[in-house]
Amino acid sequence: MSPPNKATVKALCNHPEWIGRADCRQCGILQQVLFSDLSADDLESILDGIFEPIDQYGYPPGTVLYHEGGQDNAVFTIRDGLVKLVRYGPDGDERIIRLLKRGDSMGLERLLGDSYEHTAIAVRNVKVCRIPLTVMQRLNADKPRLYRTLMEHWSACLFQADDHIMLLLSGTVRNRVINLIRWLAKVEATEEKGRVELLSGKEMASMLGVTIESVSRVIADLKRKKVLRYLGSSLYEYDANALDTYATAERKAP
Amino acid sequence: MSPPNKATVKALCNHPEWIGRADCRQCGILQQVLFSDLSADDLESILDGIFEPIDQYGYPPGTVLYHEGGQDNAVFTIRDGLVKLVRYGPDGDERIIRLLKRGDSMGLERLLGDSYEHTAIAVRNVKVCRIPLTVMQRLNADKPRLYRTLMEHWSACLFQADDHIMLLLSGTVRNRVINLIRWLAKVEATEEKGRVELLSGKEMASMLGVTIESVSRVIADLKRKKVLRYLGSSLYEYDANALDTYATAERKAP
DNA sequence: GACTTGCATTGAGATAGATCAATTTCCCAA
DNA sequence: TTGGGAAATTGATCTATCTCAATGCAAGTC
């Protein structure tokens, strides 16, 4: 239930990534995920009736969960960690389309089309539930109520995409980096308040459409200004107010 | 059924924007829109049973169809024209989040939330069908089949958002402008092949996150290179091959 | 502990694009 | 047809960001 620490992940890497059968009845984030609209009874009958199991998997950073164009017959719910959905530009450069966090779904497009639309890659240690398409189809047929939740997940993706677009349109590199940090701080809900685990420079760069060096310079500057303080392993302490100020103060500073 | 010409739009402006009751049975783009999954019988029973009518409206460019945060109780289907969904930055600058074309739906977020997420503004003369929420709700209850189409529309929005993100990450201003033109050429399906009606400079700029001047310069250059030829009223003739070449040739030309 | 290997950092110079400031063109209404 | 206003165009700077290149640092390996 708690985020996997380094040791457990090591373990996951040595063993296959499989963690175990999911027991949705016990799910700690049930209210956030695909089955949130179902009653306990519904849940019960589903879990009894299905013949393909819902399994949990763990992956270390960098693992590809599925490929654009690939055809694993499942959708996924993220239990923990961070996943990037990417596409590749003409020169093979990776472009991050979306970042998914705990409670988000991915691969929903498989409900409608024949393959995945992005490549999904773990950014941190990740735990996911793999829900076979057959289960989803069965559910859709049996419990139309599920549709609403499904639509909510589509719409959540869309809102996030919209935010990303706003981010990309938000002017200077400074602004974009700061807004990205604020977003990470918001969604990551690290144990300790006031701390963020940043992405790698390359990842931030390919999410914001800027160079690694520019990102690095912005962060160096924020450190100089005491807005960020490095704690080790990409973990930073941040001054929320200062961040807010800098993010909006931009644009026409004489 | 055909795109509104200048005269009809004139008429629309003088009269109220209302065009008339929609007869979905006769809809020329039925296969693209929200009701595409319903059988003729279903359609029949819906149209008979509803008490709030589905109406058609026409609007000239610049008209606001709904406001972010607004609460008109309806979703819309675009019959003709082009609509921009925008949000405003901290300094009130308009940022275009999405461009919608014939067959697209807008305002679907009202099915889930209390208000619209964007401001919708006509870019060209537009014809829309206004579908009251009550109708949608009734339909969802009666015809679960509709859910699939609905999901398809959500996913279509999302794919478009993803394309926009790729566009914004696609490097130089040149690239972005060219890719935008290619996109417009693709979706606008103007009568004559090989012609596009471009957006205003300001619109392209606020869609791509660049300045008006930069856009203008790119287009001037494309004209010089005979890739575009101006025909009047923002209509251009274009050389598709050349466009493709320029779009990809970018990035590292010595 | 020394060696790799992969990132992050920093500097210096090059440049795409922004900004500022005129014009010019287009469109429409009188 | 003319006139006015908005939008597009063009030129001349200026600057934020990219590029290229060198260096530093940390983690894992032998």
Side-chain angles (χ1 to χ4, degrees), chain B residues 113-132:
Chain B
D114 290 338
S115 62
Y116 296 107
E117 290 289 326
H118 311 94
T119 298
I121 305 177
V123 171
R124 310 218 191 298
N125 300 316
V126 163
K127 264 201 295 189
V128 301
C129 289
R130 177 181 179 281
I131 306 169

Side-chain angles (χ1 to χ4, degrees), chain B residues 82-94:
Chain B
L82 219 47
V83 173
K84 58 182 174 185
L85 299 186
V86 310
R87 279 191 187 156
Y88 297 92
D91 9 339
D93 54 317
E94 173 180 305

Side-chain angles (χ1 to χ4, degrees), chain A residues 82-94:
Chain A
L82 218 48
V83 172
K84 58 183 174 184
L85 299 186
V86 310
R87 281 192 187 155
Y88 297 92
D91 9 340
D93 54 318
E94 174 180 305

Side-chain angles (χ1 to χ4, degrees), chain B residues 6 172-173 210-211 213-214 217 230 233:
Chain B
K6 227 159 200 181
T172 63
V173 171
V210 299
T211 58
E213 293 95 325
S214 293
R217 277 183 247 268
Y230 190 54
S233 16

Side-chain angles (χ1 to χ4, degrees), chain B residues 104-146:
Chain B
D104 287 338
S105 309
M106 61 185 176
L108 289 186
E109 62 269 31
R110 281 296 277 107
L111 295 175
L112 301 169
D114 290 338
S115 62
Y116 296 107
E117 290 289 326
H118 311 94
T119 298
I121 305 177
V123 171
R124 310 218 191 298
N125 300 316
V126 163
K127 264 201 295 189
V128 301
C129 289
R130 177 181 179 281
I131 306 169
L133 284 185
T134 53
V135 173
M136 293 302 292
Q137 282 149 1
R138 171 92 164 256
L139 280 170
N140 283 340
D142 288 2
K143 320 275 177 204
R145 232 181 309 172
L146 190 67

